[in-house]
Amino acid sequence: MTENTQQQTAPTTELPTTYAPAEVEGPLYERWVDRGYFTADAKSDKPPYTIVIPPPNVTGALHLGHAFQVTLMDALTRRKRMQGFETLWLPGMDHAGIATQNKVEQQLAEEGKSRHDLGRDEFVERVWQWKEEYGGRILGQLRRLGAGLDWSRERFTMDEGLSKAVQKIFKDLYEDGLIYRAERIINWCPRCLTAISDIEVEYQDDAGELVSIRYGEGDDSLVVATTRAETMLGDTAVAVHPDDERYKHLVGKQIKLPLTDRTIPVVADTHVDPEFGTGAVKVTPAHDPNDFEIGRRHDLPSLTVMDEHGIITVHGPFLGLDRFEARSAIVGALKEQGRIVAEKRPYMHSVGHCSRCKTTVEPRLSMQWWVKVGPLAQAAGDAVRDGSVEIHPKELSRRYFDWVDNMHDWCISRQLWWGHRIPIWYGPEGQVVCVGPDEQPPGTEAEGWTQDPDVLDTWFSSGLWPFSTLGWPEKTPDLAKFYSTDVLLTGHDIIFFWVARMMMFGLYAMDGEVPFKTVALTGLVRDEFGKKMSKSNPNAVDPLDWMNAYGSDAVRFTLANGANPGADVPIGEDWVKASRNFANKIWNATRFALMNGATIEGPLPDASEMSATDRWILSRLNETVAQVDAYYEDFQFAKLSESLYHFAWDEVFAWYVELSKTTFFAGGEGAKVSGRVLGEVLDVMLRLLHPIVPFVTDTLWTTLTGGESLVIADWPKDSGFRDDAAEKEIELVQQVVTEVRRFRKEQGLQDAQKVPARLTLDGTPLVAHEAAIRQILRLQPEGEGFAATATLPVAGAAVALDLSGTIDVAAERKRLAKDLAAAEKEKAQAEAKLGNEAFLAKAPDNVVDKIKGRLTKADADIARIQAQLATLPQA
């Protein structure tokens, strides 16, 4: 079933009585790294398997979302390594432009300084110092989780190689006409003082005000409504629909703009919805993206009326006011002039906020750098449509297409100091020169040459991640061996931010070769009640706390066990405790097995030498191998975890070990055969579990087999062995044991309490299992004076029990008679209501359904209690 090619030593059966994760995990991980298990070899002739980690921000610490995705990626790569692939899981971090700059600016503010006090060069040096001090924390936390990353290839989006890649692709895109500079409306954050992209804007319903303002006088007036009254100072037109009869007489005329000395035209534009509001809209081209487009169509001027801080820069009485102060001041001034026709307050409407600092975003006309995404997005969409890239689960591909098929040009410039500086130089005569890697600037500052002050959007550099990390633009051995990558595993929440960017750049830079073959999208980690975890809520959890308390394996198994493709993952501490108990169960059961002769020495005995119990567990083992393989290929981590849990806990530990105890205690050839079977089962089971719970499995496996490490062991294969007859036979045993256990519990018998019993098993396959059944159920042989006070017919056999010395029959009959009377009363009441036509005519369907449910339950209770009474002797 496995082909273990490792150097093995004689196994030892010595294991501590309890498993202590804190003592095992750290040293074991460092041993894996020191032995080079995670280091990929580009010269290997093994087939490659590559995953690049979604680079965490240097600002962060490991949160449960990171731990979740890291666990799944680690499971994928560990399995592929065991399957014989040359596996590269490449680590790294993102410089996270806005987020990191904000962190350092906050640090400076505590010193009473700003970045401008330091100047650009000194500030950037300060950020690098911050990155060195804090940036490595998350990498250490990844090691704590057991992530099998190739640390020899660790990358950073602003290291020398990746910076070269950024310059190279910028120049290529620029020369191909796919990067350009233009004045457009962008999303501006007055707090971060930079442009941000559409997908970095978070929308929420805010309570604002909607005011209706009359523009113009008399018959030449119309009413517009706005939630941003302060922008009226920048209006350069009012627009109406060309077919709106109400305003046809005004189209082309000039009307007075209130509070100003200006007149503005009324223009006809099909963008206006005549059914919405008054059918007339104010046009502010410098402060609204739709208005900007109207302005371009009608050649309207664009007037910027507030600065980068959101401060009004025009018109005397409002000059110098903050945008929100100006809003109330302008409404007040309009009221004094009688221009306010209607007000609605509060008015709930969707407002954009900066995803980094939550400040209300201001649409603003600005000169920026853009990527022309049309042809790039087309290629990114086609790669999924033609099957070159598979999105999993498939139903989420619609969200991908919704984005790439409707993508606007991408604003890539940011007014920050931390990031990749835009490689454009401006000359004294208006020259514009793009400087590629290894090229010198065209001139010096003394000669009148200056570099563009902006930096690139963080997602520009992280969009190159699958190939820049492998050495592109150089033709490196790593790039030749490991590109394109196999799987991108990431959250569905960044399908727009990151996945689409990598698709566009990968196809462009790598001559049409996709950056990854499969996109496996996960959900988000939530608390046990399904609520989003955040630092502002008391439900946020530091996974290190749980790892320290319960072990990394417990956290990993809990996360994997909730990982249904694309679905959010609820997690609570009780579930982590349960996973800790599972790890302990694996430990204790393996320790018992080792002490009772479990071994991998020698070949597996022939099936003819095995008991039905042995053949049953090997049949179930192979079925489990096949199931787990199928689930891995479909990224069904929850199902494969559940399958492994059920096999290990229920079938191996709860049934096979218990059914085999009599064989082990008896010794002889049967014990040797079962010992070898149990060793085989544990060997394969630990291999299957290893990608999810690597620490406890490696410790147990090396003890069992003497092998070097599970990290480099062979992945098990389904041998094809199945034994339907043995499976049916053990099912009969399970039925007998389960039924008698149920009866014992109903009678209030303790688990350890022994009961005299007669087993009538003649003519059934159960005969061979009598000793095991008695052992498990604590059933003593019938002795002198045995009196069958209860007989349970089950699975074609009969189990007669003598309960005379174990329960008070009279008291038990009295209790059951009372329960029976209550159930019969409940049934009579339900039947009476359901037989009442007047009641049925008036009662809602849900009430009737509830009463029908009560009747069904009452019938079941009556049958159950009567069966219990029938098994009791007469008092």
Side-chain angles (χ1 to χ4, degrees):
M1 193 168 299
T2 57
E3 299 174 4
N4 187 9
T5 57
Q6 297 184 51
Q7 182 68 37
Q8 294 186 341
T9 58
T12 174
T13 58
E14 294 181 7
L15 281 172
T17 54
T18 57
Y19 177 51
E23 297 173 12
V24 170
E25 293 177 348
L28 182 54
Y29 183 82
E30 293 308 318
R31 192 180 316 139
W32 292 336
V33 174
D34 292 344
R35 291 178 177 177
Y37 294 158
F38 306 138
T39 304
D41 181 5
K43 297 178 181 178
S44 166
D45 58 2
K46 295 178 182 178
Y49 184 83
T50 315
I51 292 181
V52 290
I53 195 170
N57 293 348
V58 293
T59 57
L62 188 70
H63 56 66
L64 277 173
H66 287 129
F68 170 55
Q69 292 180 359
V70 166
T71 294
L72 304 189
M73 285 184 280
D74 196 35
L76 291 173
T77 52
R78 283 179 182 271
R79 173 174 174 261
K80 285 296 183 180
R81 188 180 294 111
M82 295 172 75
Q83 287 182 316
F85 287 78
E86 192 61 41
T87 302
L88 172 59
W89 185 20
L90 196 147
M93 291 184 295
D94 195 310
H95 67 281
I98 295 177
T100 307
Q101 177 157 323
N102 281 348
K103 289 282 187 182
V104 178
E105 289 198 72
Q106 289 168 14
Q107 197 178 61
L108 286 174
E110 293 172 2
E111 302 171 13
K113 298 178 182 177
S114 75
R115 59 177 163 135
H116 300 285
D117 294 323
L118 274 64
R120 183 165 193 149
D121 291 344
E122 190 176 340
F123 176 78
V124 169
E125 179 59 33
R126 179 72 174 259
V127 183
W128 275 107
Q129 292 171 9
W130 191 93
K131 181 260 178 186
E132 292 304 316
E133 183 175 353
Y134 294 101
R137 288 182 301 170
I138 197 166
L139 299 180
Q141 292 165 338
L142 292 172
R143 299 169 84 96
R144 178 74 176 81
L145 190 63
L149 291 152
D150 184 348
W151 296 108
S152 71
R153 287 175 166 87
E154 180 190 333
R155 304 306 299 267
F156 178 55
T157 49
M158 282 186 63
D159 67 27
E160 184 178 353
L162 269 67
S163 296
K164 184 177 181 179
V166 167
Q167 279 187 280
K168 167 67 173 168
I169 201 164
F170 186 99
K171 182 163 185 176
D172 288 350
L173 290 164
Y174 179 78
E175 291 183 344
D176 284 346
L178 295 174
I179 283 182
Y180 63 93
R181 191 171 186 237
E183 192 174 41
R184 300 276 177 81
I185 291 286
I186 46 89
N187 302 297
W188 181 265
C189 176
R191 177 266 56 344
C192 297
L193 297 179
T194 182
I196 58 177
S197 66
D198 291 344
I199 51 179
E200 291 171 305
V201 179
E202 294 178 347
Y203 288 90
Q204 67 183 45
D205 286 341
D206 286 356
E209 60 179 346
L210 179 69
V211 292
S212 298
I213 309 167
R214 182 174 298 282
Y215 284 23
E217 307 292 342
D219 292 339
D220 290 347
S221 70
L222 38 67
V223 175
V224 300
T226 181
T227 58
R228 301 168 66 219
E230 68 279 9
T231 63
M232 68 168 290
L233 301 176
D235 286 358
T236 56
V238 172
V240 297
H241 194 276
D243 299 330
D244 195 332
E245 294 294 334
R246 293 172 294 176
Y247 303 118
K248 277 195 172 181
H249 68 288
L250 290 176
V251 174
K253 288 188 175 181
Q254 295 280 327
I255 60 172
K256 180 73 184 303
L257 178 64
L259 304 182
T260 72
D261 296 326
R262 291 190 292 117
T263 59
I264 56 177
V266 178
V267 299
D269 196 281
T270 54
H271 170 76
V272 180
D273 180 1
E275 303 298 323
F276 183 78
T278 63
V281 297
K282 59 191 287 298
V283 181
T284 320
H287 292 279
D288 184 274
N290 294 321
D291 293 2
F292 176 78
E293 296 301 326
I294 294 175
R296 290 213 299 183
R297 287 193 289 273
H298 297 277
D299 199 24
L300 300 173
S302 296
L303 301 181
T304 300
V305 297
M306 63 183 80
D307 67 12
E308 60 185 7
H309 298 279
I311 303 300
I312 301 299
T313 58
V314 297
H315 203 71
F318 312 112
L319 182 66
L321 292 181
D322 170 81
R323 55 186 167 154
F324 300 119
E325 294 172 335
R327 182 176 299 171
S328 5
I330 286 171
V331 170
L334 290 168
K335 282 182 180 178
E336 290 179 4
Q337 292 187 6
R339 293 281 177 179
I340 299 295
V341 175
E343 288 183 88
K344 187 175 183 181
R345 189 185 296 114
Y347 177 71
M348 300 302 297
H349 62 129
S350 182
V351 177
H353 296 261
C354 173
S355 62
R356 298 293 179 185
C357 69
K358 311 309 175 188
T359 300
T360 299
V361 167
E362 191 64 42
R364 187 169 187 258
L365 185 63
S366 180
M367 183 68 74
Q368 301 286 344
W369 286 94
W370 304 80
V371 171
K372 185 183 294 183
V373 299
L376 301 173
Q378 176 71 41
D382 290 346
V384 175
R385 289 187 178 93
D386 67 20
S388 299
V389 176
E390 178 187 0
I391 292 181
H392 189 91
K394 192 166 291 185
E395 55 267 24
L396 288 182
S397 60
R398 183 175 56 81
R399 295 183 61 191
Y400 175 79
F401 290 131
D402 285 347
W403 177 249
V404 297
D405 292 347
N406 299 285
M407 194 183 297
H408 301 298
D409 282 2
W410 172 20
C411 176
I412 56 172
S413 46
R414 298 291 181 268
Q415 289 63 57
L416 303 171
W417 287 354
W418 173 245
H420 294 98
R421 190 89 172 260
I422 288 178
I424 292 288
W425 289 74
Y426 306 107
E429 305 300 325
Q431 305 99 314
V432 178
V433 177
C434 183
V435 178
D438 303 323
E439 295 178 353
Q440 295 299 315
T444 65
E445 286 192 24
E447 296 168 333
W449 287 88
T450 58
Q451 186 176 1
D452 194 297
D454 291 351
V455 300
L456 288 162
D457 179 10
T458 296
W459 298 101
F460 190 94
S461 53
S462 60
L464 315 183
W465 191 249
F467 53 95
S468 63
T469 51
L470 297 173
W472 186 89
E474 304 299 328
K475 295 181 178 179
T476 64
D478 277 2
L479 194 64
K481 176 75 174 179
F482 297 111
Y483 190 89
S484 63
T485 68
D486 288 86
V487 176
L488 172 72
L489 190 145
T490 190
H492 62 63
D493 56 323
I494 60 172
I495 191 170
F496 314 128
F497 287 89
W498 194 42
V499 178
R501 312 294 196 208
M502 287 188 288
M503 286 284 282
M504 292 192 301
F505 284 165
L507 290 163
Y508 174 80
M510 298 301 294
D511 299 321
E513 192 175 357
V514 296
F516 25 74
K517 301 175 185 73
T518 301
V519 179
L521 295 172
T522 70
L524 309 179
V525 176
R526 298 185 178 273
D527 70 13
E528 58 195 302
F529 305 107
K531 294 181 180 178
K532 182 179 179 181
M533 287 187 175
S534 69
K535 293 179 181 178
S536 58
N537 292 334
N539 64 353
V541 174
D542 183 345
L544 285 175
D545 291 341
W546 282 354
M547 285 189 274
N548 291 334
Y550 308 114
S552 297
D553 283 335
V555 174
R556 290 170 62 111
F557 190 80
T558 306
L559 290 165
N561 202 32
N564 290 299
D568 289 348
V569 183
I571 185 172
E573 188 167 6
D574 286 345
W575 304 343
V576 183
K577 289 179 182 177
S579 296
R580 184 269 317 271
N581 294 343
F582 179 48
N584 288 341
K585 185 72 173 180
I586 298 170
W587 181 273
N588 293 333
T590 304
R591 184 169 177 272
F592 167 84
L594 289 169
M595 291 190 299
N596 286 276
T599 180
I600 64 160
E601 294 181 6
L604 202 61
D606 188 79
S608 62
E609 302 175 49
M610 298 179 192
S611 68
T613 308
D614 295 333
R615 297 194 306 275
W616 165 74
I617 197 62
L618 288 176
S619 184
R620 295 301 309 135
L621 175 66
N622 278 284
E623 180 62 29
T624 301
V625 171
Q627 275 186 351
V628 169
D629 276 334
Y631 288 144
Y632 262 115
E633 295 306 313
D634 200 33
F635 302 98
Q636 296 278 2
F637 293 98
K639 289 182 178 179
L640 74 88
S641 299
E642 185 62 29
S643 177
L644 287 168
Y645 180 92
H646 171 69
F647 176 73
W649 192 299
D650 296 339
E651 296 184 321
V652 178
F653 304 147
W655 285 109
Y656 180 73
V657 170
E658 292 300 317
L659 288 171
S660 300
K661 280 182 178 178
T662 53
T663 303
F664 287 127
F665 296 160
E669 284 304 312
K672 289 181 181 179
V673 170
S674 291
R676 180 63 187 89
V677 169
L678 181 53
E680 180 77 8
V681 170
L682 291 176
D683 176 15
V684 175
M685 183 192 77
L686 292 170
R687 292 171 194 255
L688 291 173
L689 281 164
H690 176 73
I692 304 293
V693 284
F695 293 108
V696 67
T697 53
D698 195 53
T699 305
L700 293 172
W701 186 85
T702 52
T703 303
L704 169 71
T705 68
E708 183 181 337
S709 174
L710 260 180
V711 179
I712 54 172
D714 293 328
W715 182 253
K717 296 176 182 177
D718 176 8
S719 71
F721 178 82
R722 300 290 191 280
D723 193 322
D724 292 340
E727 292 204 32
K728 290 177 182 176
E729 186 170 327
I730 299 306
E731 284 178 16
L732 294 178
V733 175
Q734 291 172 329
Q735 288 177 33
V736 171
V737 171
T738 302
E739 182 62 22
V740 175
R741 277 178 171 164
R742 182 194 62 76
F743 178 77
R744 286 179 60 115
K745 184 176 182 181
E746 289 174 347
Q747 304 307 319
L749 299 177
Q750 298 299 314
D751 290 342
Q753 194 169 350
K754 295 181 179 179
V755 178
R758 177 192 300 134
L759 275 61
T760 306
L761 309 175
D762 296 342
T764 74
L766 296 168
V767 174
H769 303 281
E770 179 169 351
I773 292 171
R774 287 186 178 275
Q775 167 75 23
I776 294 171
L777 292 172
R778 305 291 191 271
L779 301 180
Q780 293 178 316
E782 53 182 304
E784 191 175 333
F786 176 84
T789 58
T791 300
L792 303 176
V794 57
V799 179
L801 304 173
D802 183 353
L803 305 177
S804 57
T806 57
I807 63 172
D808 184 336
V809 175
E812 185 64 12
R813 277 191 168 278
K814 185 176 180 181
R815 182 186 70 80
L816 289 173
K818 183 178 178 181
D819 290 346
L820 180 61
E824 288 173 337
K825 181 179 179 181
E826 174 74 2
K827 177 180 180 178
Q829 290 175 340
E831 286 179 332
K833 285 189 175 181
L834 294 174
N836 186 334
E837 295 297 334
F839 170 78
L840 292 176
K842 295 179 180 178
D845 289 344
N846 65 317
V847 173
V848 174
D849 289 342
K850 187 175 180 181
I851 295 170
K852 287 179 179 178
R854 285 168 51 191
L855 177 59
T856 301
K857 183 178 182 302
D859 281 333
D861 287 343
I862 290 168
R864 175 180 55 80
I865 296 167
Q866 287 175 337
Q868 287 178 251
L869 283 167
T871 62
L872 290 175
Q874 296 299 317

